[in-house]
Amino acid sequence: MSFGDVPVLKGITARFERGRTNLIIGRSGAGKTVLLKILVGLLHPVEGKVWYEETPFSELAGRDLRNIRMQVGMLFQGSALFDSMTVEENVRFPLDMFTGMSRGEKADQVNHCLERVNLAGSNKKFPSELSGGMQKRVGIARAIVLNPRYLFCDEPNSGLDPKTAFVIDELIQQITRENDMTTVINTHDMNSVMEIGENIILLYNGALAWQGSREQVMHSDNDILQDFIFASPFLQRLRQAALDKGSR
Amino acid sequence: MGVVSRTFYHFGRWLLLMKQGIHRPEQWNMYARETVRQMYDIGIGSLLIVGLISIFMGAVAGIQFAYQLDDQLVPRWYIGYIVRDLAILESAPTITCLVLAGKVGSNMAAELGGMRQKEHIDAMEIMGVNTPGYLIMPKLVAAVIVIPLLVSVSAFVAMAGGYVATVPTGEVTGPEYTRGLLAFYAPYNVFIMYVKSVVFAFLLTAVSTYQGFFVRTGSIELGKASTRAVVISNILILLADYLIAVIMTA
């Protein structure tokens, strides 16, 4: 993938697993967002393909593309909630647009999703009346309202305090397991890596630098990974202490 | 890129956007609801400004023509005739649409640009919504229906404005003004007015939505897109005005 003559992503081959939280990590400018946009079809790769199981997603167009997209949910960094609509209308939007459900069925499905993200009773509020964490949760409710098979999250923790960020991470992981979805999260939050990183890929200068799980992070001798994860002297000391304790 | 190649680039890109937009809606009622919302916003939202501008256009036309008729042999009832034809042929369609390009066009560009910047358009695309179809086509349909109605209102209000400015001030009597309004009436002129208003409505909406849809990040870009929407719409409206005048009155 390149913008003009500048290559942004180079030769990335990765597999994201069903029922697990797959993380794309890397420093700012490493190409995480570009990779995520390619995965959801907002950008087209210059070379290579994106496969959704047996389907060559990056080669689809028209109705075939729309059919796959209806199986995709996405949570945006800024939530991307429609300002002029209430919480209920935001969550109901995909149902209004793509299903022939009755009004009652839609209301049930919206309430179910809002309850799932612990926002029952917030139906009539507008996005501007919600905190950042609540907006993310509404974003999750909207992303899962059509029961998607694939969930993509672009920096779901950005702008949130550590406690709220943890709640969002936990919620995404629970929903992934309950619905057996393939979830891909783009993040540079180290708490997320260590809490929900079941399958992690690290990008460095647009290339794949490392792939593994959170358990493997501690023991990896990949310099790029260690520089990124344990960036501060405090975290380096913490890692050393944990390794020393483990070896005793 | 030079000006000519840039123009062709944008025209081609606009054609592709329109091609994407023309498709079978995912849900007819969602598109219909959006079209009605746009019709309300464009129509009711612009009624006051169109009314105000039109009454002054008619008033100024009446007073200035009365001034030009001083010490002339031309009968005074010509004031009503001139105000009517000026309103129908030029001021109602052209001035109204120039004003609407500023009000409605910049609003459309800013609305779509804001949606692009806040990732609303990306969110809809990922859901599988045909965004050019859902976000642009209802605006085009609404504008092409509502703006000719606004132009009709403008023409009537301009004629009333001419009456208010010239009759109470004694420039012309009421019956004389009315006689002028009814004299030499050519329905073809009304047809020209509607052709102009439909073409101008299409132009201002097409340009403004294109500018908003492809806006880049940053508040400065949003402002520039709104400004470009108004400037380009105005230039195209004036160019189309000239071409329609040449073609339809030849």
Side-chain angles (χ1 to χ4, degrees), chain A residues 185-237:
Chain A
I185 303 170
N186 172 0
T187 186
H188 49 217
D189 184 275
M190 285 315 102
N191 290 327
S192 302
V193 173
M194 301 315 283
E195 290 297 332
I196 60 167
E198 294 174 297
N199 176 34
I200 303 166
I201 71 166
L202 170 70
L203 297 186
Y204 182 75
N205 283 343
L208 184 63
W210 181 84
Q211 182 159 12
S213 66
R214 62 186 161 186
E215 291 81 15
Q216 292 167 318
V217 166
M218 293 294 280
H219 300 96
S220 169
D221 54 5
N222 185 303
D223 292 339
I224 298 170
L225 178 72
Q226 297 308 328
D227 273 357
F228 175 70
I229 302 277
F230 306 103
S232 70
F234 171 73
L235 286 172
Q236 286 163 11
R237 284 199 299 275

Short mmCIF file of all heavy atoms in Angstrom, two decimals, chain A residues 185-237:
data_model
loop_
_atom_site.label_atom_id
_atom_site.label_comp_id
_atom_site.label_asym_id
_atom_site.label_seq_id
_atom_site.Cartn_x
_atom_site.Cartn_y
_atom_site.Cartn_z
N ILE A 185 -8.43 -5.28 16.69
CA ILE A 185 -8.36 -4.00 17.40
C ILE A 185 -7.03 -3.34 17.09
O ILE A 185 -5.97 -3.95 17.20
CB ILE A 185 -8.46 -4.21 18.93
CG1 ILE A 185 -9.76 -4.94 19.26
CG2 ILE A 185 -8.38 -2.89 19.66
CD1 ILE A 185 -9.85 -5.42 20.71
N ASN A 186 -7.13 -2.09 16.71
CA ASN A 186 -5.95 -1.31 16.40
C ASN A 186 -5.66 -0.45 17.65
O ASN A 186 -6.50 0.34 18.06
CB ASN A 186 -6.35 -0.45 15.19
CG ASN A 186 -5.35 0.58 14.83
OD1 ASN A 186 -4.32 0.70 15.47
ND2 ASN A 186 -5.65 1.34 13.79
N THR A 187 -4.51 -0.63 18.28
CA THR A 187 -4.27 0.08 19.53
C THR A 187 -2.78 0.33 19.77
O THR A 187 -1.94 -0.33 19.17
CB THR A 187 -4.85 -0.71 20.74
OG1 THR A 187 -4.72 0.06 21.92
CG2 THR A 187 -4.14 -2.05 20.94
N HIS A 188 -2.50 1.32 20.62
CA HIS A 188 -1.13 1.41 21.13
C HIS A 188 -1.18 1.50 22.66
O HIS A 188 -0.28 2.01 23.29
CB HIS A 188 -0.32 2.55 20.50
CG HIS A 188 -1.02 3.87 20.49
ND1 HIS A 188 -0.91 4.74 19.45
CD2 HIS A 188 -1.84 4.45 21.37
CE1 HIS A 188 -1.63 5.81 19.70
NE2 HIS A 188 -2.19 5.65 20.87
N ASP A 189 -2.27 0.99 23.20
CA ASP A 189 -2.46 1.01 24.64
C ASP A 189 -1.88 -0.29 25.24
O ASP A 189 -2.33 -1.39 24.92
CB ASP A 189 -3.96 1.11 24.95
CG ASP A 189 -4.22 1.23 26.44
OD1 ASP A 189 -4.28 0.18 27.11
OD2 ASP A 189 -4.35 2.36 26.91
N MET A 190 -0.88 -0.14 26.10
CA MET A 190 -0.18 -1.32 26.62
C MET A 190 -1.04 -2.17 27.54
O MET A 190 -0.88 -3.39 27.61
CB MET A 190 1.09 -0.89 27.36
CG MET A 190 2.19 -0.49 26.43
SD MET A 190 2.34 -1.67 25.08
CE MET A 190 1.57 -0.84 23.77
N ASN A 191 -1.98 -1.51 28.23
CA ASN A 191 -2.89 -2.28 29.08
C ASN A 191 -3.72 -3.24 28.23
O ASN A 191 -3.94 -4.39 28.62
CB ASN A 191 -3.83 -1.35 29.85
CG ASN A 191 -3.08 -0.56 30.90
OD1 ASN A 191 -2.12 -1.06 31.48
ND2 ASN A 191 -3.48 0.69 31.12
N SER A 192 -4.17 -2.74 27.06
CA SER A 192 -4.96 -3.60 26.17
C SER A 192 -4.13 -4.78 25.71
O SER A 192 -4.61 -5.91 25.66
CB SER A 192 -5.41 -2.81 24.93
OG SER A 192 -6.16 -1.70 25.29
N VAL A 193 -2.87 -4.50 25.37
CA VAL A 193 -2.00 -5.58 24.88
C VAL A 193 -1.91 -6.69 25.92
O VAL A 193 -2.07 -7.87 25.62
CB VAL A 193 -0.59 -5.02 24.56
CG1 VAL A 193 0.37 -6.16 24.22
CG2 VAL A 193 -0.66 -4.03 23.41
N MET A 194 -1.69 -6.28 27.18
CA MET A 194 -1.47 -7.28 28.22
C MET A 194 -2.77 -7.92 28.72
O MET A 194 -2.76 -9.02 29.24
CB MET A 194 -0.72 -6.66 29.42
CG MET A 194 0.64 -6.07 29.05
SD MET A 194 1.64 -7.10 27.97
CE MET A 194 2.24 -8.32 29.10
N GLU A 195 -3.89 -7.20 28.58
CA GLU A 195 -5.16 -7.75 29.08
C GLU A 195 -5.89 -8.61 28.05
O GLU A 195 -6.42 -9.66 28.38
CB GLU A 195 -6.10 -6.61 29.52
CG GLU A 195 -5.65 -5.88 30.78
CD GLU A 195 -5.62 -6.78 32.01
OE1 GLU A 195 -6.39 -7.75 32.06
OE2 GLU A 195 -4.81 -6.51 32.92
N ILE A 196 -5.97 -8.13 26.82
CA ILE A 196 -6.84 -8.84 25.85
C ILE A 196 -6.10 -9.26 24.59
O ILE A 196 -6.72 -9.72 23.63
CB ILE A 196 -8.07 -7.98 25.46
CG1 ILE A 196 -7.63 -6.66 24.82
CG2 ILE A 196 -8.97 -7.74 26.65
CD1 ILE A 196 -8.77 -5.91 24.13
N GLY A 197 -4.79 -9.14 24.56
CA GLY A 197 -4.03 -9.46 23.35
C GLY A 197 -3.85 -10.95 23.14
O GLY A 197 -2.82 -11.52 23.51
N GLU A 198 -4.84 -11.58 22.54
CA GLU A 198 -4.75 -13.03 22.32
C GLU A 198 -3.93 -13.36 21.08
O GLU A 198 -3.34 -14.42 20.97
CB GLU A 198 -6.16 -13.62 22.21
CG GLU A 198 -6.92 -13.51 23.51
CD GLU A 198 -8.36 -13.95 23.38
OE1 GLU A 198 -9.12 -13.33 22.63
OE2 GLU A 198 -8.74 -14.91 24.06
N ASN A 199 -3.98 -12.47 20.11
CA ASN A 199 -3.17 -12.63 18.91
C ASN A 199 -2.73 -11.22 18.51
O ASN A 199 -3.57 -10.39 18.19
CB ASN A 199 -3.99 -13.29 17.79
CG ASN A 199 -3.20 -13.40 16.50
OD1 ASN A 199 -1.98 -13.60 16.52
ND2 ASN A 199 -3.88 -13.27 15.36
N ILE A 200 -1.44 -10.98 18.57
CA ILE A 200 -0.95 -9.60 18.39
C ILE A 200 -0.02 -9.54 17.18
O ILE A 200 0.84 -10.41 17.01
CB ILE A 200 -0.15 -9.15 19.64
CG1 ILE A 200 -1.02 -9.28 20.90
CG2 ILE A 200 0.36 -7.73 19.48
CD1 ILE A 200 -0.22 -9.20 22.20
N ILE A 201 -0.22 -8.49 16.35
CA ILE A 201 0.80 -8.26 15.33
C ILE A 201 1.37 -6.86 15.55
O ILE A 201 0.65 -5.91 15.85
CB ILE A 201 0.30 -8.45 13.88
CG1 ILE A 201 -0.64 -7.34 13.44
CG2 ILE A 201 -0.34 -9.80 13.67
CD1 ILE A 201 -0.85 -7.33 11.92
N LEU A 202 2.67 -6.76 15.45
CA LEU A 202 3.36 -5.49 15.66
C LEU A 202 3.84 -4.96 14.31
O LEU A 202 4.53 -5.66 13.57
CB LEU A 202 4.57 -5.69 16.59
CG LEU A 202 5.53 -4.50 16.71
CD1 LEU A 202 4.89 -3.34 17.46
CD2 LEU A 202 6.82 -4.92 17.42
N LEU A 203 3.44 -3.72 14.01
CA LEU A 203 3.91 -3.08 12.78
C LEU A 203 5.04 -2.13 13.12
O LEU A 203 5.00 -1.43 14.13
CB LEU A 203 2.78 -2.30 12.11
CG LEU A 203 1.55 -3.07 11.62
CD1 LEU A 203 0.63 -2.12 10.85
CD2 LEU A 203 1.95 -4.24 10.74
N TYR A 204 6.03 -2.11 12.24
CA TYR A 204 7.13 -1.17 12.42
C TYR A 204 7.51 -0.64 11.04
O TYR A 204 7.85 -1.44 10.15
CB TYR A 204 8.32 -1.87 13.09
CG TYR A 204 9.49 -0.95 13.35
CD1 TYR A 204 9.43 -0.03 14.39
CD2 TYR A 204 10.63 -1.00 12.55
CE1 TYR A 204 10.50 0.83 14.64
CE2 TYR A 204 11.70 -0.14 12.80
CZ TYR A 204 11.63 0.77 13.84
OH TYR A 204 12.68 1.61 14.08
N ASN A 205 7.42 0.65 10.87
CA ASN A 205 7.69 1.28 9.56
C ASN A 205 6.93 0.60 8.42
O ASN A 205 7.48 0.37 7.35
CB ASN A 205 9.19 1.27 9.25
CG ASN A 205 9.93 2.33 10.04
OD1 ASN A 205 9.31 3.27 10.56
ND2 ASN A 205 11.23 2.19 10.15
N GLY A 206 5.71 0.24 8.67
CA GLY A 206 4.86 -0.33 7.62
C GLY A 206 5.07 -1.81 7.36
O GLY A 206 4.44 -2.37 6.46
N ALA A 207 5.94 -2.45 8.12
CA ALA A 207 6.18 -3.89 7.90
C ALA A 207 5.82 -4.67 9.17
O ALA A 207 5.78 -4.10 10.27
CB ALA A 207 7.63 -4.12 7.54
N LEU A 208 5.56 -5.95 8.99
CA LEU A 208 5.25 -6.80 10.14
C LEU A 208 6.55 -7.10 10.89
O LEU A 208 7.48 -7.69 10.32
CB LEU A 208 4.62 -8.10 9.63
CG LEU A 208 4.15 -9.10 10.67
CD1 LEU A 208 3.03 -8.51 11.52
CD2 LEU A 208 3.65 -10.37 10.01
N ALA A 209 6.61 -6.68 12.16
CA ALA A 209 7.87 -6.85 12.91
C ALA A 209 7.80 -8.04 13.87
O ALA A 209 8.85 -8.59 14.24
CB ALA A 209 8.17 -5.58 13.68
N TRP A 210 6.58 -8.39 14.30
CA TRP A 210 6.47 -9.49 15.28
C TRP A 210 5.03 -9.95 15.33
O TRP A 210 4.11 -9.18 15.12
CB TRP A 210 6.92 -8.99 16.66
CG TRP A 210 6.87 -10.03 17.74
CD1 TRP A 210 7.84 -10.96 18.01
CD2 TRP A 210 5.83 -10.24 18.69
NE1 TRP A 210 7.44 -11.74 19.06
CE2 TRP A 210 6.22 -11.32 19.51
CE3 TRP A 210 4.60 -9.64 18.93
CZ2 TRP A 210 5.42 -11.79 20.54
CZ3 TRP A 210 3.79 -10.11 19.96
CH2 TRP A 210 4.22 -11.18 20.76
N GLN A 211 4.81 -11.22 15.63
CA GLN A 211 3.45 -11.72 15.84
C GLN A 211 3.48 -12.73 16.97
O GLN A 211 4.38 -13.58 17.05
CB GLN A 211 2.91 -12.37 14.56
CG GLN A 211 1.48 -12.87 14.72
CD GLN A 211 0.74 -13.05 13.40
OE1 GLN A 211 1.36 -13.01 12.34
NE2 GLN A 211 -0.56 -13.23 13.47
N GLY A 212 2.51 -12.66 17.85
CA GLY A 212 2.47 -13.60 18.97
C GLY A 212 1.31 -13.26 19.89
O GLY A 212 0.41 -12.51 19.52
N SER A 213 1.34 -13.83 21.10
CA SER A 213 0.27 -13.56 22.07
C SER A 213 0.82 -12.75 23.24
O SER A 213 2.04 -12.53 23.32
CB SER A 213 -0.29 -14.89 22.59
OG SER A 213 0.72 -15.53 23.34
N ARG A 214 -0.06 -12.31 24.15
CA ARG A 214 0.39 -11.49 25.28
C ARG A 214 1.36 -12.27 26.17
O ARG A 214 2.26 -11.69 26.77
CB ARG A 214 -0.79 -10.99 26.09
CG ARG A 214 -1.61 -12.10 26.69
CD ARG A 214 -2.84 -11.60 27.37
NE ARG A 214 -3.76 -12.73 27.51
CZ ARG A 214 -4.98 -12.67 27.95
NH1 ARG A 214 -5.48 -11.51 28.27
NH2 ARG A 214 -5.75 -13.72 28.06
N GLU A 215 1.17 -13.61 26.23
CA GLU A 215 2.07 -14.42 27.05
C GLU A 215 3.49 -14.39 26.47
O GLU A 215 4.47 -14.43 27.21
CB GLU A 215 1.58 -15.88 27.13
CG GLU A 215 0.30 -16.09 27.92
CD GLU A 215 -0.97 -15.77 27.13
OE1 GLU A 215 -0.89 -15.64 25.89
OE2 GLU A 215 -2.03 -15.60 27.77
N GLN A 216 3.56 -14.32 25.15
CA GLN A 216 4.87 -14.34 24.49
C GLN A 216 5.58 -12.99 24.52
O GLN A 216 6.78 -12.92 24.29
CB GLN A 216 4.72 -14.81 23.03
CG GLN A 216 4.30 -16.27 22.93
CD GLN A 216 3.86 -16.62 21.51
OE1 GLN A 216 3.16 -15.86 20.86
NE2 GLN A 216 4.27 -17.79 21.06
N VAL A 217 4.80 -11.94 24.81
CA VAL A 217 5.38 -10.58 24.82
C VAL A 217 6.51 -10.49 25.84
O VAL A 217 7.59 -9.99 25.56
CB VAL A 217 4.29 -9.53 25.13
CG1 VAL A 217 4.91 -8.18 25.49
CG2 VAL A 217 3.36 -9.36 23.95
N MET A 218 6.25 -11.01 27.04
CA MET A 218 7.23 -10.88 28.14
C MET A 218 8.56 -11.56 27.83
O MET A 218 9.61 -11.09 28.22
CB MET A 218 6.66 -11.49 29.42
CG MET A 218 5.49 -10.74 29.99
SD MET A 218 5.93 -9.11 30.56
CE MET A 218 6.65 -9.50 32.15
N HIS A 219 8.47 -12.68 27.11
CA HIS A 219 9.68 -13.48 26.90
C HIS A 219 10.33 -13.28 25.55
O HIS A 219 11.37 -13.88 25.27
CB HIS A 219 9.34 -14.98 27.10
CG HIS A 219 8.83 -15.27 28.48
ND1 HIS A 219 7.48 -15.32 28.76
CD2 HIS A 219 9.48 -15.44 29.65
CE1 HIS A 219 7.32 -15.55 30.06
NE2 HIS A 219 8.52 -15.63 30.62
N SER A 220 9.72 -12.46 24.71
CA SER A 220 10.29 -12.27 23.37
C SER A 220 11.59 -11.47 23.46
O SER A 220 11.72 -10.55 24.28
CB SER A 220 9.29 -11.51 22.49
OG SER A 220 9.91 -11.11 21.31
N ASP A 221 12.54 -11.82 22.62
CA ASP A 221 13.77 -11.02 22.58
C ASP A 221 13.79 -10.11 21.35
O ASP A 221 14.85 -9.63 20.96
CB ASP A 221 15.00 -11.94 22.61
CG ASP A 221 14.95 -12.98 21.51
OD1 ASP A 221 14.01 -12.91 20.69
OD2 ASP A 221 15.86 -13.85 21.47
N ASN A 222 12.62 -9.90 20.75
CA ASN A 222 12.53 -8.97 19.61
C ASN A 222 12.75 -7.55 20.12
O ASN A 222 11.97 -7.04 20.93
CB ASN A 222 11.15 -9.13 18.95
CG ASN A 222 11.02 -8.29 17.69
OD1 ASN A 222 11.20 -7.09 17.73
ND2 ASN A 222 10.72 -8.95 16.59
N ASP A 223 13.81 -6.90 19.64
CA ASP A 223 14.16 -5.55 20.14
C ASP A 223 13.07 -4.52 19.85
O ASP A 223 12.79 -3.65 20.67
CB ASP A 223 15.47 -5.09 19.49
CG ASP A 223 16.64 -5.93 19.98
OD1 ASP A 223 16.50 -6.54 21.06
OD2 ASP A 223 17.67 -5.99 19.27
N ILE A 224 12.49 -4.62 18.65
CA ILE A 224 11.46 -3.63 18.28
C ILE A 224 10.27 -3.76 19.23
O ILE A 224 9.74 -2.76 19.73
CB ILE A 224 11.01 -3.83 16.81
CG1 ILE A 224 12.20 -3.62 15.88
CG2 ILE A 224 9.89 -2.88 16.45
CD1 ILE A 224 11.93 -4.02 14.43
N LEU A 225 9.89 -5.01 19.51
CA LEU A 225 8.76 -5.25 20.41
C LEU A 225 9.08 -4.73 21.81
O LEU A 225 8.26 -4.03 22.42
CB LEU A 225 8.44 -6.75 20.47
CG LEU A 225 7.31 -7.13 21.42
CD1 LEU A 225 5.96 -6.69 20.86
CD2 LEU A 225 7.28 -8.62 21.69
N GLN A 226 10.26 -5.06 22.30
CA GLN A 226 10.62 -4.64 23.66
C GLN A 226 10.71 -3.12 23.76
O GLN A 226 10.29 -2.53 24.76
CB GLN A 226 11.94 -5.30 24.09
CG GLN A 226 11.88 -6.83 24.17
CD GLN A 226 10.71 -7.32 25.01
OE1 GLN A 226 10.29 -6.67 25.97
NE2 GLN A 226 10.14 -8.48 24.66
N ASP A 227 11.28 -2.48 22.71
CA ASP A 227 11.35 -1.01 22.70
C ASP A 227 9.97 -0.39 22.75
O ASP A 227 9.75 0.65 23.36
CB ASP A 227 12.04 -0.53 21.41
CG ASP A 227 13.53 -0.50 21.58
OD1 ASP A 227 13.99 -0.79 22.70
OD2 ASP A 227 14.23 -0.20 20.59
N PHE A 228 9.04 -1.04 22.06
CA PHE A 228 7.70 -0.48 21.96
C PHE A 228 6.89 -0.72 23.23
O PHE A 228 6.29 0.21 23.79
CB PHE A 228 6.98 -1.08 20.74
CG PHE A 228 5.54 -0.65 20.63
CD1 PHE A 228 5.22 0.65 20.29
CD2 PHE A 228 4.50 -1.55 20.89
CE1 PHE A 228 3.89 1.05 20.20
CE2 PHE A 228 3.19 -1.15 20.81
CZ PHE A 228 2.89 0.16 20.47
N ILE A 229 6.89 -1.96 23.70
CA ILE A 229 6.05 -2.31 24.85
C ILE A 229 6.61 -1.70 26.14
O ILE A 229 5.88 -1.10 26.94
CB ILE A 229 5.94 -3.84 25.03
CG1 ILE A 229 5.37 -4.48 23.77
CG2 ILE A 229 5.15 -4.21 26.27
CD1 ILE A 229 3.89 -4.48 23.65
N PHE A 230 7.89 -1.86 26.33
CA PHE A 230 8.50 -1.37 27.58
C PHE A 230 9.29 -0.11 27.27
O PHE A 230 10.53 -0.08 27.37
CB PHE A 230 9.37 -2.48 28.19
CG PHE A 230 8.61 -3.76 28.38
CD1 PHE A 230 8.77 -4.83 27.52
CD2 PHE A 230 7.67 -3.89 29.40
CE1 PHE A 230 8.04 -6.00 27.68
CE2 PHE A 230 6.94 -5.06 29.56
CZ PHE A 230 7.12 -6.12 28.69
N ALA A 231 8.56 0.90 26.85
CA ALA A 231 9.20 2.11 26.33
C ALA A 231 9.88 2.93 27.44
O ALA A 231 10.93 3.53 27.21
CB ALA A 231 8.16 2.96 25.61
N SER A 232 9.31 2.93 28.64
CA SER A 232 9.88 3.79 29.69
C SER A 232 10.79 2.97 30.62
O SER A 232 10.62 1.75 30.74
CB SER A 232 8.74 4.40 30.52
OG SER A 232 8.12 3.39 31.29
N PRO A 233 11.76 3.62 31.28
CA PRO A 233 12.63 2.92 32.20
C PRO A 233 11.84 2.19 33.29
O PRO A 233 12.20 1.09 33.70
CB PRO A 233 13.49 4.03 32.81
CG PRO A 233 13.47 5.11 31.79
CD PRO A 233 12.15 5.03 31.12
N PHE A 234 10.73 2.78 33.72
CA PHE A 234 9.90 2.16 34.76
C PHE A 234 9.38 0.81 34.29
O PHE A 234 9.48 -0.21 35.00
CB PHE A 234 8.73 3.10 35.11
CG PHE A 234 7.70 2.47 36.00
CD1 PHE A 234 7.98 2.24 37.35
CD2 PHE A 234 6.45 2.09 35.51
CE1 PHE A 234 7.04 1.65 38.19
CE2 PHE A 234 5.51 1.50 36.33
CZ PHE A 234 5.81 1.28 37.67
N LEU A 235 8.83 0.76 33.06
CA LEU A 235 8.30 -0.49 32.53
C LEU A 235 9.40 -1.50 32.29
O LEU A 235 9.21 -2.71 32.47
CB LEU A 235 7.52 -0.22 31.23
CG LEU A 235 6.16 0.46 31.41
CD1 LEU A 235 5.56 0.86 30.06
CD2 LEU A 235 5.19 -0.45 32.15
N GLN A 236 10.60 -1.01 31.91
CA GLN A 236 11.72 -1.94 31.69
C GLN A 236 12.11 -2.61 33.02
O GLN A 236 12.37 -3.81 33.08
CB GLN A 236 12.92 -1.19 31.10
CG GLN A 236 12.72 -0.84 29.62
CD GLN A 236 13.67 0.24 29.15
OE1 GLN A 236 14.63 0.61 29.84
NE2 GLN A 236 13.41 0.76 27.96
N ARG A 237 12.13 -1.80 34.10
CA ARG A 237 12.46 -2.37 35.42
C ARG A 237 11.39 -3.38 35.85
O ARG A 237 11.70 -4.43 36.40
CB ARG A 237 12.57 -1.23 36.46
CG ARG A 237 13.87 -0.42 36.35
CD ARG A 237 14.13 0.34 37.65
NE ARG A 237 13.06 1.29 37.97
CZ ARG A 237 13.00 2.54 37.47
NH1 ARG A 237 13.94 2.98 36.65
NH2 ARG A 237 12.03 3.35 37.81
#
